[in-house]
Amino acid sequence: MDERREFFRIDVKARIDLATLDSAPTGRQDPSQHFAQSNVLHTLAELKKLDADAMQAQQQVKDSDRALGEYLNILSRKVDILALYCLSSSAEALGEPQIITISEGGIDFNAPHSVSSGSYIALMPVFTSPPMAIALYAQVVRCEPDPTNGFTIAAEFHYQNSAQRQQISQQIMRSQMESIRSSKA
């Protein structure tokens, strides 16, 4: 059996919210619509856009007035902390975090109930460290009983846009970096 993988895989801690779909999602559907935490996801996405928009202006301010630039950086970090608190508070309803295996191509996780192979799901992994959440569509590749945790589900991501793939890729890199830092400590 050929064991080569198309994507690098990493084990990380996350909570998983899962919704089974009756049919394949269309390109116009937003996967976050299936989750109660969608308002938090949209807020986090808007904050990331604002950070990107403000980065150049903030650097210009810092170049001309170092103290003001540092103050703006502190305010930005405060907003980030509040946003992450909102995310973690809403994620607590999903139960305890679990170890999941994730790559740019898909995900393996445990669920309390079975999902038919070939069916489509909306899922929202809420990563614990570094904190981040994303709603995605996926197709179940495999669902097997797990003697200790219900069922193990393997699913292939069906990205709606390149930004979703980029978010997963960045989360994998951040998780790798954090794992390296914690192993050196």
Side-chain angles (χ1 to χ4, degrees):
M1 184 159 118
D2 189 5
E3 284 297 318
R4 287 179 285 153
R5 304 281 187 189
E6 188 175 343
F7 299 103
F8 178 77
R9 295 169 186 267
I10 187 168
D11 292 338
V12 296
K13 261 189 166 182
R15 291 177 167 94
I16 300 288
D17 201 354
L18 168 73
T20 54
L21 306 177
D22 295 331
S23 61
T26 66
R28 294 177 301 278
Q29 289 178 308
D30 180 3
S32 67
Q33 72 183 357
H34 302 281
F35 305 107
Q37 296 88 352
S38 65
N39 57 346
V40 174
L41 288 177
H42 290 295
T43 301
L44 289 173
E46 287 301 315
L47 287 172
K48 280 185 184 268
K49 286 179 191 173
L50 290 172
D51 274 348
D53 293 346
M55 192 177 302
Q56 185 178 5
Q58 188 174 347
Q59 187 59 46
Q60 289 173 345
V61 169
K62 193 172 187 176
D63 289 345
S64 64
D65 186 341
R66 187 163 181 78
L68 180 58
E70 286 300 319
Y71 178 71
L72 292 174
N73 188 39
I74 290 167
L75 288 178
S76 179
R77 289 191 340 235
K78 282 182 171 183
V79 171
D80 289 345
I81 289 168
L82 289 171
L84 293 176
Y85 173 76
C86 292
L87 174 63
S88 63
S89 293
S90 67
E92 286 177 4
L94 301 176
E96 290 300 312
Q98 60 175 287
I99 301 295
I100 66 168
T101 303
I102 191 164
S103 74
E104 280 187 55
I107 186 170
D108 282 13
F109 62 96
N110 289 338
H113 53 82
S114 172
V115 179
S116 301
S117 291
S119 63
Y120 288 89
I121 57 175
L123 69 120
M124 184 177 63
V126 180
F127 301 95
T128 59
S129 186
M132 196 272 282
I134 183 171
L136 301 157
Y137 288 120
Q139 186 173 21
V140 176
V141 176
R142 182 178 69 254
C143 182
E144 300 169 341
D146 182 310
T148 58
N149 292 316
F151 294 86
T152 299
I153 296 174
E156 180 181 316
F157 293 136
H158 284 259
Y159 294 109
Q160 300 297 98
N161 54 54
S162 62
Q164 289 178 326
R165 181 183 293 275
Q166 186 177 11
Q167 281 184 285
I168 291 295
S169 177
Q170 289 172 350
Q171 183 65 24
I172 290 169
M173 287 190 302
R174 284 190 297 262
S175 296
Q176 285 177 300
M177 291 169 51
E178 189 156 307
S179 176
I180 291 168
R181 272 194 301 268
S182 66
S183 68
K184 287 182 179 180

